[in-house]
Amino acid sequence: MKKFVFKKDKKHWLRMVEKRNDRRKESKNDKHLSTIGSKSLYANSKKREKVIMPKIVAPRIMLLKVSEYYNQFINFINDFERLCKKANELKFRFELDLSHIKEMYGDACVLFIASVDSMYQLYPNLKIKIRKPIKDITSRYDPHAVFCHLGFYKLFGLEYSADCSSENVVCWRYVTGDLADGQLTEPLMKTLNDMGINTKELYRSCIEGIANAVEHAYIPQIKSSRDVRNKKWWMLLAKLDGKLLLFVYDRGHGIPSTLEYTQDQKILKEIWKKLKQLVSPTKDCLYIKASMLVKETRTELNYRGKGTGDIKSFIDKTEGNLLRIYSSRGTMIYKGESTPSFCYDNSISINGTLLQWSIKLQDTI
């Protein structure tokens, strides 16, 4: 057998090797491989390029009632929804990294579920890779178990399992619905009864108030840059630490946009006087505060007809109860008639309305 001998002219030899490699690269270019998520991407290029799958990372603490965490979380939700829209348009897959979550509270959890559910309603062909939360053995929180218990992963078409026997996990219930398909009160009352909560006391003051708030969230006359055709609501409930915790969220126009459509101008004029406003407020939180004064103002003006449920009246009954309302950029905290309410505007909109009740269980059983 002949031994292979290097040519003496090394420059000539290197040119031959370079030409051979160029021919191989051109052959690969003909494949037009351009799939996001693969290890490499060839698209009209002679060079081999490594492509990293786009990724969005959830914040470590998912919470709304602290301004720092509120801004982090709402920015995350907005970035997630923008990425979903882009992924749908350009047909690529991205990663949703939940591994950094250490603490997750009901207010942020219900909003996160609503966001994911809404994105799949708008873009049913989305392809999202999930990186699960990692359990911290030193913490009482287990976000992965909560997500499994609530059926969150099923929104992605995934079937994950976890130990959901912990009190901080099993206590949570998830309810959702569409105003076009039926009323809010029926599934809510069924869930409360299953939890052993006496709905008789809650019905007029709380449950009917929730139904009215959600019903007024979607008004066709109001123009919006967001897609609000899907008239859904999402709710989380729990019996925890001696209290009933209830969170209900809608992705409607928000109280600051809907109040002047749902209320008589004469009523609003009286409310602006009570709030010492000469004209309509410029702050979202003042619109929320105004919405809390509607029922008593209607009564003062002797309006007839069926009264509506008052979302704050149940809070008045016992010290320690709390109502927190987020709508658009505004936030209001109500602890009863004897305590001054506290309201403020956030820098970012919540893109809808979130009502949160914290009610002592002995008041309802």
Side-chain angles (χ1 to χ4, degrees):
M1 180 182 287
K2 260 186 175 182
K3 290 186 179 180
F4 184 85
V5 181
F6 278 100
K7 294 187 176 183
K8 292 182 181 180
D9 188 349
K10 290 184 179 179
K11 289 184 179 179
H12 174 72
W13 172 252
L14 291 173
R15 279 198 300 271
M16 288 178 61
V17 172
E18 188 177 347
K19 286 181 181 180
R20 183 186 64 190
N21 289 339
D22 285 344
R23 287 195 298 271
R24 287 180 177 177
K25 289 179 182 178
E26 287 173 5
S27 174
K28 286 182 178 180
N29 281 337
D30 291 338
K31 295 179 182 180
H32 297 293
L33 179 62
S34 59
T35 304
I36 296 288
S38 60
K39 291 183 179 178
S40 58
L41 172 69
Y42 301 96
N44 301 321
S45 173
K46 291 185 177 181
K47 292 185 178 181
R48 184 173 179 138
E49 298 177 4
K50 186 176 180 180
V51 172
I52 300 174
M53 182 188 299
K55 179 170 74 171
I56 184 165
V57 181
R60 191 177 72 86
I61 297 178
M62 298 174 69
L63 173 67
L64 294 179
K65 66 180 181 180
V66 178
S67 59
E68 176 189 354
Y69 299 133
Y70 175 99
N71 290 335
Q72 288 177 2
F73 178 72
I74 299 300
N75 279 326
F76 158 69
I77 291 294
N78 290 338
D79 290 344
F80 168 71
E81 294 186 1
R82 280 192 289 266
L83 185 56
C84 285
K85 183 179 180 181
K86 189 174 181 181
N88 179 70
E89 290 172 352
L90 301 180
K91 310 298 181 188
F92 65 82
R93 186 179 182 223
F94 69 90
E95 181 181 45
L96 176 58
D97 186 352
L98 308 177
S99 64
H100 296 269
I101 301 175
K102 298 302 177 187
E103 297 180 18
M104 182 174 63
Y105 295 81
D107 50 7
C109 184
V110 71
L111 201 152
F112 187 30
I113 292 173
S115 177
V116 173
D117 191 13
S118 297
M119 290 303 98
Y120 272 104
Q121 291 287 328
L122 289 172
Y123 317 120
N125 295 320
L126 274 178
K127 294 182 180 179
I128 304 176
K129 177 183 176 181
I130 299 295
R131 188 181 294 273
K132 299 178 292 185
I134 300 172
K135 174 71 169 82
D136 182 355
I137 59 174
T138 64
S139 173
R140 61 182 290 200
Y141 300 96
D142 187 352
H144 174 58
V146 172
F147 283 146
C148 287
H149 178 64
L150 297 176
F152 171 74
Y153 295 118
K154 292 179 181 179
L155 296 172
F156 302 91
L158 301 172
E159 290 287 345
Y160 288 151
S161 60
D163 180 6
C164 300
S165 60
S166 168
E167 181 186 356
N168 291 322
V169 175
V170 75
C171 66
W172 288 100
R173 304 292 181 93
Y174 170 57
V175 189
T176 187
D178 189 329
L179 290 180
D181 296 334
Q183 295 183 345
L184 176 147
T185 53
E186 186 177 344
L188 172 55
M189 289 182 71
K190 183 182 183 302
T191 304
L192 287 167
N193 284 324
D194 291 344
M195 295 170 66
I197 305 297
N198 186 345
T199 56
K200 185 177 180 180
E201 284 289 327
L202 278 171
Y203 182 75
R204 290 284 293 172
S205 61
C206 186
I207 299 175
E208 191 179 343
I210 295 171
N212 288 330
V214 175
E215 184 181 354
H216 292 155
Y218 302 94
I219 297 178
Q221 299 94 315
I222 299 177
K223 294 181 180 180
S224 175
S225 57
R226 296 184 296 114
D227 192 321
V228 294
R229 291 171 296 175
N230 187 12
K231 300 180 180 181
K232 288 194 74 171
W233 50 266
W234 298 262
M235 188 178 299
L236 284 183
L237 308 92
K239 288 170 64 175
L240 188 63
D241 298 330
K243 292 182 178 180
L244 167 64
L245 304 179
L246 191 155
F247 305 86
V248 59
Y249 175 66
D250 68 71
R251 290 171 61 90
H253 300 288
I255 294 171
S257 297
T258 60
L259 190 65
E260 301 209 28
Y261 282 87
T262 60
Q263 303 303 324
D264 185 277
Q265 287 301 313
K266 188 176 179 180
I267 294 174
L268 290 174
K269 189 176 179 180
E270 292 300 317
I271 291 175
W272 303 148
K273 286 181 183 178
K274 291 181 180 181
L275 295 177
K276 299 180 180 180
Q277 296 284 313
L278 297 176
V279 293
S280 301
T282 56
K283 291 188 174 182
D284 288 357
C285 63
L286 291 179
Y287 273 98
I288 300 173
K289 196 168 185 178
S291 70
M292 304 277 276
L293 298 173
V294 167
K295 187 175 182 180
E296 66 180 64
T297 306
R298 287 174 65 90
T299 304
E300 290 168 2
L301 294 175
N302 295 319
Y303 274 69
R304 295 181 179 179
K306 183 181 177 181
T308 58
D310 186 357
I311 61 174
K312 66 182 175 60
S313 62
F314 203 84
I315 305 300
D316 296 332
K317 291 184 177 183
T318 304
E319 187 178 348
N321 290 344
L322 178 142
L323 168 65
R324 193 187 301 265
I325 304 175
Y326 301 91
S327 193
S328 297
R329 291 182 300 113
T331 299
M332 179 174 176
I333 303 167
Y334 183 77
K335 296 182 179 180
E337 292 177 317
S338 60
T339 305
S341 59
F342 178 60
C343 68
Y344 58 91
D345 267 10
N346 300 289
S347 59
I348 315 169
S349 172
I350 201 172
N351 291 330
T353 299
L354 173 65
L355 306 177
Q356 172 190 343
W357 278 264
S358 176
I359 301 170
K360 289 186 177 180
L361 282 175
Q362 58 262 36
D363 300 331
T364 62
I365 58 176

